[in-house]
Each structure stands twice: as C-alpha cells, then as structure tokens.
Amino acid sequence: MTTRTLNSAAYERVIAALNDHGSKGRGTAWQCVAHEDRAPSLSVTQSSKGVLINCHAGCATEDVVTALNLTMSDLFDEPLERRQRPQVVAEYSYCDEAGELLYSVRRIEPGYNGERKTFRQYAANGTAGVKGVRRVLYRLPEVIAAAKAGDTIIVVEGEKDADSLAALGVVATCNVGGAGKWSDDYTKHLRGASEVVIIADRDEPGRKHAETVAASVKKIGIPARVVQAARGKDVSDHLSAGLGYDDLEPVELASTPADDSNDTAATVPHQAEAPETEQTDPYPGRLPETFYNARPLFQQIRQYAHAEAASADTSFFMTLARLSGMVSHHYRAVTGIGGRASLNIFAASVGGSGAGKSTSVKVAKSMMPSTDEDFRDGLPLGSGEGMAEVYMGNAEVETGEIHQRGPNKGDPVVVKVRKQVRHNAFFYVDEGETIAKLADRNGSTLGETLRRAAIGETLGQANATEERTRYVEEGSYSMGLMVGFQPKTAMPLLADSATGTPQRFLWCWAEDNTIPYEEIPKPDIIRQHPGQKRPTGPVDITFPEEIRKELRWQRVAKARGELQVSEMDAHGPLMKVKVAALLALLDNREFVRQDDWDLAEVVWQSSCAVRDALIEEAKQQETAERARLEEAQMQQALRTHSAKSEQDTTRERIARTIHRHVVKDGPMSLGNVRRKIAARDRGAMQQAVDYAEARGWISLEDGTVSAAS
C-alpha cells in the first residue's frame, strides 16, 4: 500500500517557480537561486499552512523568495494565497480658490469588506478625517477661471471621471462623496458659466444626482442639460470605448411623475417631497437653510442660538424636546392609526467635548420660559424608577367619610396618600455615556423605561409597598429628553437597535459651521407658546386626510409584508407625527397642515442622515482596526516562519557537524559528541542528533553515535 502526499498550493507555487528559474532538484533538496549553487543546498519542505524554504549555505529566506519573483505571502496557503491587500491607487487633491490644499481623497483598491473600491478622506496634514474642514468642488481653481471666462463647465460624479475629461482639455468637476452629496454652496462657483453639462452615471443614484445638480444650477439662472455615456456606466467607460464628447447621449429629466394608471405605485398616497436636507460634509444632515427660512419662529431660534455662539440645530432639537415635556399631557396626535399618540420627544446631540451642547440647553430654556411651577426642567437622568418618581408626591385625598365630632365635625375626612401629583418633566443628560453605564447596571430598568416613556406608555409599578409605589398612567404625563453624546459614546446606543431604543431618538450635530464670527443681536424670547396652555380635558391634534391615508397605507403595507423598512427607520412615521403636531402647536394651531408634515419630513431626514453618518464612521473605524489586526497577524506569521527557518538551519548545521566528527573520529558516546560541538550549539544537540539519524547520516545505539553504513 502506498500513501500519496497531497501538495499544498504554496508548495506547488514554489516548485513551479524553481522549475521556471532552472533550479535542479527533487523532493526537498533543490539548487538555491539566490547564489551560485552546484550542489542542492536549498531545503523545500511542506508545513501545515504552506511551505518552508531554507538555504543551508546561509542565504536569507527573503532573498530566495525575491529571486523566485515571489513574496513572503506566497509561502502560505489560503487565505494568503489569493489575498489582495487594499492599496492606494489614486489620490485626488481638493484645493481652495488660491490653490491651497484643503484635503485629499484616496482611492483604495480593492475596497474593504469585499467592495471593489473604497474612498478615504484626509486632511492637508495627512491625518485621516476632514471634520471641520471646508468642502469645495474638485479642481476649484480651474472651475472658477472657466466660469469667469464664460466657458462651459462639466459636472460628473467622481474624481476619476473629472480627470479623464481634464486630460482632453475640458474643465470638469465633481463634489466629494459622489452621488447625493451636492450642495447649493458648490453651485455658486459655477456662476458666470455659459452652460453646465451634467454627465450622469447610468444608474438610479446617478440619475437622481444629476437631477439635483441640474435643479440647483438652473435655480441661479445657468443653462443646464444632462447627458450620459453611450457605453459603460460612466464617462470614463465611454472614453475607454473610443467614443468622444459628441457621442454622449442626452437625458430627459421628468418634471413630474409619469401618469400610469396600471402602475400600482400610482395608488400610493402622496409622499411629501422634503427640501434638500443633505448638506456638505463634515455635517451631513444639518438642517438646511430652506428649513430655517420656512417660518419666522425657526429664524428666531437660529438667531438666538447664534447670538449665544451655540448650534442652531441642537437648539432647535432641544426646543422641540423641552416643549414636548412642557405641553399639557392632554394634547395628543390623532391620525386614525394607533389611537391618541403621545408628543414625547427624545433627541440626541452629537459633538466633541466643549462643542456647546449644554449652551443649547440654556438657549432653549431662555427662549421659551415655563410658567408652570410643577414643571420639572432640566433634570438629570438616574434610574428607570427615578424617572417615574419625578411625577410622584404626597397628596391629601378625601376618603368619602365625614368627621362626626371634634373641631372638624362635618368636614370631609382626608388622608395623605402617595400618588402622581405632576404631569410635566424635561430631562437633560450632558454626557450620553451615562445612559449606557446606568442601563448596564444589574437589575436596571432604565432602558425599558426610556422605551416606554418615548411613546407615553405607563411607567413605574403599583404592586410595591406604599412608600415605593410609582405608578404613572399612560396618557397622564408629558416628557422630553435631550442627551449629549460624543461620537464614540453614541455607538452603544446606536448598536442597541434590536431593543428599539435608538429608533426613538432624533439625532443632530452639536457643531455648527454656520455660526458667524461677528457678534449678532439676540432676538426677543417666545413669550406665548403652547407650553403655557393648560386645557382641562383631552385635545386632539388632527391631521389632513391625505396624511392619514399615507400613514395607513404604510402601516398596512408593512403588515402585509409588501413594504420593507429598515430596523433603524421603523419609528419614522410616529416620529414625524410627533414633530408635525408640535410644529402646529408652535404655530398656535391644533390641526396639522401639509407644510407641517413637509417640515417634519425634513427634520426626520436630517436626523437619519446624522445617525447614518455616525454608524458609517463607526464601520470605517472598525474596518481600519480589523485591517490593522490582520496586518499584525500576517507580520507575526512571517516572523514566526522566519524564526522557524532559522531554527531549522541551525539544527541541520549541527547535524552535519556531528556527522563529520563521527566519520572522521569513529563511533563515540553522546558525551563525547557534546564536547565536539560548540558550546552555543549544545542546547540543540539532541534535535540535531534526531535529525541526522532521520536523514540516515548517523545511527544511535545504546548511547553510541556512529556514521551510517
């Protein structure tokens, strides 16, 4: 019976390279290719993970590998066999009007997580990330010069396309980040151009991006048209196919949705088209200028915030959250779906330490003062029981009996009982890490309480002892919550999507790059607002029929499995209902209009953009860390391999020395063998003896070493 040894992929690769180089040998002995070698002195042996090579003449393993036109990675089997390490294949510089470098974008191929490509942004000093750096158009100086000269300017989706056109002498540009990231701030640099031609990528995101750019350009009076590649996805593919500028195909952008009575989508209720909410990085999701200009109150909030050098977005979200805890619990939103909805708003402001989150609390409190002495304003967050406790107290309650004698004869008998005595509270947590720590405590009810409070469900428990009873009934309280996070401390909450906690928050940036440096006047406070009203009974905030139909369609479509919504967006409709209702109240109305709903959509989309940016940043950091660990593991494997090769070389050298002595001096004891070899080699003597015996060079019997016959 014979046993056939299956060669590893790495072994086959090395043997093939040796044969290609003309090396002579067989089995484990080959001529070394790193030096002139007449006798085979290169050992090639298989290991469990690849192949080990060792030149007994002393050539370094790296030199042998290089001579074979291989790399150290080629000595290993999968996954190193076909591993392609991500590397920078191009770097694109973004400069200001004067040509000074602001930041750069590196194109990495292959991308991470199986992607074909990845883009990473770096500040001018080479550090990763461009937070706080002004964003500009690619090739901005050339664009400005072309606009001043009244030339045509081409807008494409990526830097590679812009460079491909520039090589033909055409002025082309793009925005950083690709499709969906255009801003009106970019458009102003095109003013003066005779025409702007947008070359759309041949996919849905590319078409939508082209529509956005065209609308922005036309808005300031510049003629614009859209074309696309005749072959391939983008203009680079088009040019590579040998086609020219005149071969680009025109694209007609639909001004209104197609009227197709056979299309089931036509029966879907109207979806409000929100104004553009995506702003230029580094703050994707910042509320746009069009939002603040929509109502004088919004302008007032922003001016008050900027007068205090605070973030307008955080101040606005803070105002919403604080108002939701201040308004009467009798106010409820009624849409025909899910009963009377609570207006409780939870918001999260994300920014670095010292970004001014706490200043925004003061802005909201100063702008919209409360006149209710029972309103608990700006409370810290403790346990879940503590949140319910805020609404509790002692009250005198009539028992239904009458005093029969004494000085109180004829008066109702009253007793002090523990019960809910207030209805309004606003909580503020300056550092969101507190939530994670409190929620992780053994037996903590904070997470569950937050989720229940966000939708106005019953809090506390009624089955405890009298002094510990905390029972706050559904519909009997209003609560607002604002939490300040640093980007890293926000991740535990965002990662808790399975419980539904992060979905109940609105997200915004604590930094605001629109705050003016010059001092601006502070506007008047909001002297009359819905937080001061105290109706004595239920008040329904109603919604238009179109919005009610839209909400019902979404609910039914999800229940029927016909509409798939991401886990993070599951609470979107409810969050928009709350925001729209509060906006109506701020406008002194108890009914929602379509414009309230449209503005609520802007708020929700802004929140989603901030949230998604944080999640994406965390993914990138995780990918970079994983790549670093993989690289460290590979280097360790290479070091281990090199150390093993060196050990094998030492063992064989000692074995040959032992063989030479017993051939020359005859059989000798192990003790005499030990004295024959150098002191530095004696620790490896036994391994060398075993190796020499296995190779058939010596024989060992009864402690005597002899040359093999």
Side-chain angles (χ1 to χ4, degrees):
M1 176 179 177
T2 60
T3 302
R4 185 167 67 93
T5 302
L6 295 176
N7 294 328
S8 71
Y11 181 81
E12 296 285 5
R13 184 162 48 246
V14 171
I15 296 302
L18 286 166
N19 283 319
D20 291 342
H21 196 278
S23 175
K24 296 180 180 180
R26 65 175 182 173
T28 61
W30 291 77
Q31 289 177 321
C32 179
V33 297
H35 74 284
E36 186 175 348
D37 189 17
R38 296 181 179 179
S41 62
L42 184 69
S43 172
V44 181
T45 57
Q46 295 191 65
S47 71
S48 60
K49 295 184 178 180
V51 61
L52 303 176
I53 60 175
N54 177 40
C55 176
H56 300 300
C59 295
T61 301
E62 289 81 1
D63 293 337
V64 178
V65 169
T66 301
L68 289 172
N69 294 322
L70 299 176
T71 67
M72 293 296 287
S73 297
D74 291 323
L75 302 182
F76 294 84
D77 294 327
E78 292 288 346
L80 292 176
E81 181 189 4
R82 292 194 295 270
R83 175 189 176 96
Q84 283 186 283
R85 192 176 304 172
Q87 55 185 325
V88 177
V89 298
E91 184 163 1
Y92 309 107
S93 298
Y94 280 76
C95 302
D96 64 13
E97 294 84 347
E100 291 292 326
L101 179 65
L102 294 174
Y103 56 92
S104 62
V105 174
R106 297 176 187 174
R107 183 188 181 105
I108 301 170
E109 295 182 2
Y112 301 108
N113 294 332
E115 297 174 348
R116 184 172 65 86
K117 59 187 176 182
T118 297
F119 295 91
R120 293 287 184 266
Q121 300 170 12
Y122 294 82
N125 61 6
T127 59
V130 290
K131 193 169 186 178
V133 179
R134 174 194 172 206
R135 297 307 183 92
V136 297
L137 284 172
Y138 186 50
R139 295 179 167 271
L140 181 61
E142 295 98 313
V143 169
I144 293 175
K148 287 183 178 179
D151 296 336
T152 296
I153 298 174
I154 297 178
V155 176
V156 291
E157 193 170 308
E159 297 91 352
K160 180 181 177 182
D161 291 343
D163 286 351
S164 297
L165 290 167
L168 302 177
V170 177
V171 177
T173 187
C174 66
N175 58 270
V176 67
K181 300 298 176 71
W182 187 268
S183 166
D184 288 343
D185 290 339
Y186 298 143
T187 309
K188 64 185 180 182
H189 293 297
L190 307 177
R191 194 184 300 275
S194 59
E195 182 186 37
V196 171
V197 178
I198 302 107
I199 304 180
D201 279 9
R202 294 183 71 108
D203 55 22
E204 188 60 25
R207 186 181 182 87
K208 289 184 177 179
H209 181 68
E211 290 176 348
T212 299
V213 177
S216 180
V217 169
K218 290 178 180 179
K219 191 163 55 177
I220 63 172
I222 305 176
R225 58 189 175 95
V226 179
V227 296
Q228 65 183 8
R231 290 188 186 177
K233 178 186 176 184
D234 52 36
V235 70
S236 294
D237 294 340
H238 177 91
L239 296 173
S240 297
L243 300 176
Y245 179 80
D246 293 335
D247 298 314
L248 292 166
E249 299 176 346
V251 176
E252 293 296 330
L253 300 181
S255 57
T256 58
D259 182 12
D260 187 353
S261 58
N262 294 322
D263 188 353
T264 55
T267 63
V268 178
H270 168 71
Q271 299 285 332
E273 290 294 333
E276 179 65 42
T277 62
E278 183 111 53
Q279 300 297 308
T280 59
D281 288 335
Y283 305 111
R286 184 167 58 86
L287 287 171
E289 183 78 15
T290 51
F291 177 84
Y292 284 108
N293 290 336
R295 291 185 180 174
L297 178 62
F298 300 168
Q299 297 176 4
Q300 186 178 355
I301 292 173
R302 181 174 62 172
Q303 183 178 343
Y304 204 109
H306 284 176
E308 294 285 354
S311 163
D313 285 10
T314 296
S315 297
F316 176 80
F317 279 70
M318 189 81 69
T319 299
L320 275 187
R322 186 167 173 273
L323 178 63
S324 74
M326 194 189 309
V327 298
S328 170
H329 62 284
H330 288 305
Y331 285 119
R332 296 276 161 151
V334 178
T335 63
I337 300 294
R340 303 180 74 242
S342 161
L343 304 187
N344 294 352
I345 289 284
F346 290 1
S349 174
V350 183
S353 178
K357 295 183 285 289
S358 57
T359 303
S360 297
V361 177
K362 298 175 182 176
V363 168
K365 191 171 184 177
S366 299
M367 272 200 66
M368 191 176 289
S370 171
T371 57
D372 186 349
E373 294 182 357
D374 285 332
F375 172 49
R376 293 295 183 261
D377 195 2
L379 295 172
L381 198 62
S383 62
E385 294 84 355
M387 294 180 72
E389 178 66 25
V390 168
Y391 298 95
M392 301 299 295
N394 294 320
E396 293 185 343
V397 177
E398 295 182 2
T399 64
E401 299 179 356
I402 302 296
H403 285 283
Q404 300 299 322
R405 60 178 64 87
N408 296 323
K409 182 178 180 180
D411 294 337
V413 176
V414 298
V415 294
K416 285 188 176 182
V417 297
R418 181 172 170 74
K419 60 176 293 189
Q420 182 181 353
V421 297
R422 58 186 62 89
H423 306 278
N424 300 86
F426 170 65
F427 294 87
Y428 173 66
V429 183
D430 184 55
E431 182 45 67
E433 189 176 10
T434 304
I435 290 183
K437 291 180 178 179
L438 289 172
D440 284 343
R441 288 182 181 175
N442 189 30
S444 172
T445 62
L446 179 59
E448 180 186 0
T449 301
L450 285 173
R451 291 187 289 274
R452 296 179 68 85
I455 54 178
E457 292 184 345
T458 299
L459 305 181
Q461 70 287 333
N463 58 349
T465 60
E466 182 177 348
E467 64 274 9
R468 294 180 56 201
T469 294
R470 303 179 184 91
Y471 183 76
V472 183
E473 188 176 0
E474 176 183 3
S476 68
Y477 67 97
S478 295
M479 180 189 294
L481 169 65
M482 190 77 185
V483 183
F485 284 104
Q486 294 188 37
K488 288 184 178 180
T489 62
M491 293 320 301
L493 178 61
L494 287 168
D496 194 26
S497 60
T499 65
T501 303
Q503 295 92 317
R504 289 167 164 84
F505 278 77
L506 293 174
W507 298 82
C508 66
W509 296 116
E511 288 98 351
D512 182 352
N513 56 3
T514 68
I515 301 174
Y517 280 100
E518 64 274 9
E519 187 174 347
I520 62 175
K522 188 182 298 182
D524 195 10
I525 64 174
I526 304 173
R527 300 187 182 279
Q528 293 184 342
H529 55 79
Q532 299 168 339
K533 299 178 181 179
R534 288 294 177 261
T536 57
V539 178
D540 291 345
I541 302 174
T542 59
F543 283 68
E545 185 65 21
E546 279 300 306
I547 297 175
R548 291 164 64 97
K549 286 181 179 180
E550 176 184 334
L551 291 169
R552 177 168 177 79
W553 179 86
Q554 291 177 348
R555 172 69 69 88
V556 173
K558 284 192 285 186
R560 289 164 59 110
E562 298 170 357
L563 177 65
Q564 302 299 320
V565 178
S566 69
E567 187 176 58
M568 293 300 288
D569 293 333
H571 285 259
L574 177 59
M575 298 297 284
K576 289 190 290 184
V577 164
K578 292 169 179 273
V579 173
L582 287 172
L583 294 182
L585 286 175
L586 279 170
D587 207 31
N588 295 313
R589 287 180 281 106
E590 293 174 358
F591 58 91
V592 169
R593 299 185 313 212
Q594 184 64 49
D595 59 326
D596 298 316
W597 188 247
D598 292 345
L599 291 168
E601 174 72 18
V602 176
V603 172
W604 172 246
Q605 292 300 333
S606 293
S607 170
C608 292
V610 175
R611 178 199 69 197
D612 293 345
L614 291 168
I615 294 174
E616 179 60 27
E617 182 178 348
K619 287 181 180 178
Q620 291 179 6
Q621 291 176 354
E622 182 181 357
T623 298
E625 178 63 16
R626 185 164 57 247
R628 187 191 67 79
L629 291 175
E630 289 177 356
E631 179 68 20
Q633 290 171 354
M634 178 183 293
Q635 293 300 325
Q636 180 60 42
L638 293 174
R639 286 194 295 270
T640 301
H641 173 70
S642 298
K644 182 69 166 56
S645 297
E646 183 179 350
Q647 183 182 17
D648 291 345
T649 300
T650 301
R651 180 186 63 183
E652 184 164 345
R653 178 178 56 76
I654 299 171
R656 290 184 180 277
T657 300
I658 294 173
H659 177 250
R660 186 171 63 253
H661 282 299
V662 296
V663 168
K664 177 182 177 183
D665 301 331
M668 63 183 68
S669 66
L670 286 171
N672 286 334
V673 169
R674 183 177 181 82
R675 284 189 285 273
K676 291 286 186 180
I677 63 177
R680 69 176 183 277
D681 294 334
R682 290 171 183 171
M685 188 191 83
Q686 187 59 53
Q687 294 179 3
V689 170
D690 293 342
Y691 179 79
E693 187 178 22
R695 296 297 299 266
W697 298 344
I698 64 172
S699 63
L700 176 64
E701 188 174 353
D702 297 330
T704 299
V705 181
S706 306
S709 57

